[in-house]
Each structure stands twice: as C-alpha cells, then as structure tokens.
Amino acid sequence: MIYPIVKFGNPVLEKPAETVTVFDDELKKLIEDMFESMYVAHGVGLAAPQIGLSRRIAIVDVTFKEDPRAKLILINPEIIHTEGRHTQSEGCLSIPDFRENVSRPNKVTIRAQDIHCKVFEKTGEELLARAFLHETDHLNGKLYISHISALKRDLMKRKIRKLMKAGEW
Ligand SMILES: [Zn+2]
C-alpha cells in the first residue's frame, strides 16, 4: 500500500511520536509499505508521522534502491553520539519544493531496535548522519526548518500559507 505523504501544517508532524512496543506482522507490513511509499515519493528517508502515524518508526535508504544493504529500519531510535559539523542543503518530503542549508553534526551514532525488537547501534557520516538526525527529529515532532534562521523560516511559512490559500499545498 502506498501512503500519501502528510504535509507541513498537519499537527501530526509537530508532536512527539509514540514508542513502539509490539513487534508483529502488522509492523513488518507497515515498514514494507513505508519503503514503497518513500521510493514513490523519491525520498531517502521517511518517518511514520509523515504518513500520519504517530509511532517511533523511521526508514532510511541513502542509496535510493541501489544497495539493498543500505535499507535501514529504525524503531524507537535515539541519537547517542555526535561529532563535527557540516552544512548542506536539506529538504523534506513533507515540505515539498523547498530546500535550505542546514548545519548539523557530521558523524552520528544512533541506537535503535530492528524489526525483531533487537537493539543495535550504527554510526553514519555525511548524508547518512544527516538522515539519522532528520528522521529522529521527525519522531520528536521537530522539522528541519527549526534548524534554520527565524527570518528564513518565517519567509518559508509565508510562502506555504500562500500555497495553502491557493489550494496548492
Ligand atoms: Zn523530513
């Protein structure tokens, strides 16, 4: 099943998501559907609130289907270590057609559970580090625009409100 992506303005994107406690077939199916939905939307990361579900589940594939081993499932993830700093243009499927430079740590270690409830840790650099931070932010009700200047954020929100009024959001 392909889920439509929830856009900025929907309150589900701005509240902390709920911890996953049941690791069953329903969760497995949901994660398969999330990968399908992410690829259709041309994304490299997707968090459950972006399909309207307030649950602490995120998926990442920074290779976009090229390397099956790059498919990551992050259930109840937490960032446990960060290092360095790097600024790069960043976007979000829930804020389509906008991008801004965002400064974030360049090396990040995440701790999460896999589909079998097993805890694992993984360290990523550059784009993968950015994806870990971006998706974990989503699960905490935070969007990447919280990391840009208030001036830029207000301008973006004004443009989005205009699009909403015009029925184009
Ligand atoms: Zn996003």
Side-chain angles (χ1 to χ4, degrees), residues 50 91-94 134-135 138 143-144:
Q50 294 183 277
C92 179
L93 292 176
S94 296
H134 183 114
E135 301 312 329
H138 268 303
L143 297 166
Y144 81 90

Side-chain angles (χ1 to χ4, degrees), residues 102-116:
V102 180
S103 169
R104 292 192 189 262
N106 194 38
K107 191 175 176 187
V108 171
T109 303
I110 200 163
R111 180 183 293 150
Q113 281 166 282
D114 68 11
I115 193 86
H116 307 293

Side-chain angles (χ1 to χ4, degrees), residues 10-135:
N10 187 316
V12 73
L13 292 174
E14 292 178 85
K15 67 170 188 187
E18 278 171 36
T19 302
V20 174
T21 54
V22 180
F23 292 75
D24 59 2
D25 285 345
E26 185 260 317
L27 180 68
K28 232 177 252 176
K29 172 78 173 85
L30 172 63
I31 288 169
E32 279 170 26
D33 289 346
M34 282 177 70
F35 272 106
E36 219 182 316
S37 307
M38 177 180 80
Y39 291 134
V40 165
H42 301 287
V44 295
L46 185 72
Q50 294 183 277
I51 55 166
L53 300 173
S54 196
R55 298 167 70 178
R56 299 185 81 81
I57 307 165
I59 55 165
V60 169
D61 177 4
V62 291
T63 73
F64 196 78
K65 293 195 237 187
E66 223 158 81
D67 182 358
R69 288 165 307 173
K71 282 174 82 170
L72 290 175
I73 297 163
L74 306 168
I75 301 169
N76 302 324
E78 326 162 53
I79 303 295
I80 56 168
H81 184 74
T82 65
E83 248 178 82
R85 207 81 200 160
H86 187 239
T87 301
Q88 199 170 18
S89 166
E90 197 168 316
C92 179
L93 292 176
S94 296
I95 314 176
D97 302 324
F98 287 90
R99 292 192 80 79
E100 279 297 338
N101 282 333
V102 180
S103 169
R104 292 192 189 262
N106 194 38
K107 191 175 176 187
V108 171
T109 303
I110 200 163
R111 180 183 293 150
Q113 281 166 282
D114 68 11
I115 193 86
H116 307 293
C117 187
K118 198 174 155 232
V119 176
F120 67 96
E121 288 178 12
K122 191 164 173 74
T123 300
E125 292 184 58
E126 293 172 19
L127 182 58
L128 186 57
R130 191 165 289 271
F132 285 166
L133 295 163
H134 183 114
E135 301 312 329

